[in-house]
Amino acid sequence: MSRNFASAAPALAANTFARPQSAPMYSSTGLDVWTMMNQVAASVDAVNLGQGFMSFPPKDFIKRAAQEAFTEDANNQYAPPRGRPRLLEQLAARFAEKLGRPIDPGSEVSVHAGANEALLSAFTAFLEHGKGQEAILIEPAFDQYTPNVLMAGGKPVYVPLRVCASKDPATNTISSSDWKLDYTELEAAITANTRILVLNTPHNPVGKVFARDELEAIATIAQRHNLLVISDEVYEHLTYATDHVSIATLPGMWERTITVGSAGKLFGVTGWRVGWAIGPAELIHPTLSAHTRIVFTTNTPLQEGVASAFVQATSNGFFDSQRAEYERRRDRLMAIFDDVGLPYVVPDGAYYLLVNAAAIKIPDTYEFPDFIKERGPNFKLVYFFIKEFGVSGIPPTEFYSAAHKALANDYIRFAFCKTDEGLEDASRRLQKLKLYLQSSS
């Protein structure tokens, strides 16, 4: 005789049991800024100068390097957690020249699933949960720094760059070097719990390349307070008439610095997700241990592709020609904003342009959706810009803590890692902007 077990079970009310709850950090259902602004841009078919991905293809030799790597059977299996030997050797050779010291590929280099995972691994290795340990972030700070510190159990502490008091960025174009770090303010933020200082040079989104004297001041503070410096140098190859100096080259700083880099930025392949960390063995070993528990290893074929690209780039002049191409794009985007009458921050590095749009007059009756209104005036400015002019940017308040967001309310970040056609299309669309400029008289 068959039995109907389903009918034999007692009926349960829909709300009999509690439902699983996520951790507060991940419970928000709001869109991240990148998705949000990309969706707004798509709604009006805007020229996307917002997110920092390249709208042009990588060079053929770079694509071939990846394609050839996939044809090797061994390259389709796990790589060692530290990284593929060929890539480790290429990175050691590159950074030995860059840092002016021998680099051991077997102990002073680790390969990661993008620079972001290298950062997370370093934070995880040097911050302990439940001890209130702090990491200082210099604002504007890339929006992954804060969640990475929190995920590692740390507490982010914010110190902002500030524009020189003698400059008026709302009416005049200024240099990225006019954004200064107040060393007294920095040192006042350090407590007995401070463990890490995060440095980003060349800087996203300002484009600032920290000068040697600035790095020396930071190094003095880091040494005085026994801080680990995590130096995010993913744009180290993109500087314009300015030398990039790694803080690890300063006296006493190699021993307390992890330098982070990215193949995505270096070769224009942000989707490959291959990054690295360089430093003394006693810093790289725990970083590698954390990496092994976070992702275990980085994809094998693209590690081999990056290694091959490095070999070829050293002989074909790629990095010099790439820098010249980006400088030309930078100059074109600056000329576009000169033409329409908005001042900006001249970047000495990276591929972003901060434009000061304080002169734009948004009509008082302009309608904003709730998901924009709740994010504040900078999001309104960027939304208006995208909707009315058809050119997308990113609100840089997303790179600030709540206490310092007002410093960025008048700015929009644009990326110039875009095609010439895209920049010319933006130029045509932005002519309409002149109708919304407030008189400076």
Side-chain angles (χ1 to χ4, degrees), residues 3-21:
R3 299 179 63 184
N4 188 337
F5 289 98
S7 62
L12 296 175
N15 295 323
T16 298
F17 300 111
R19 297 188 179 186
Q21 298 294 313

Side-chain angles (χ1 to χ4, degrees), residues 111-131:
V111 177
H112 295 263
N116 188 49
E117 189 263 308
L119 291 164
L120 176 60
S121 293
F123 291 136
T124 301
F126 289 94
L127 294 171
E128 292 187 70
H129 284 261
K131 295 194 174 182

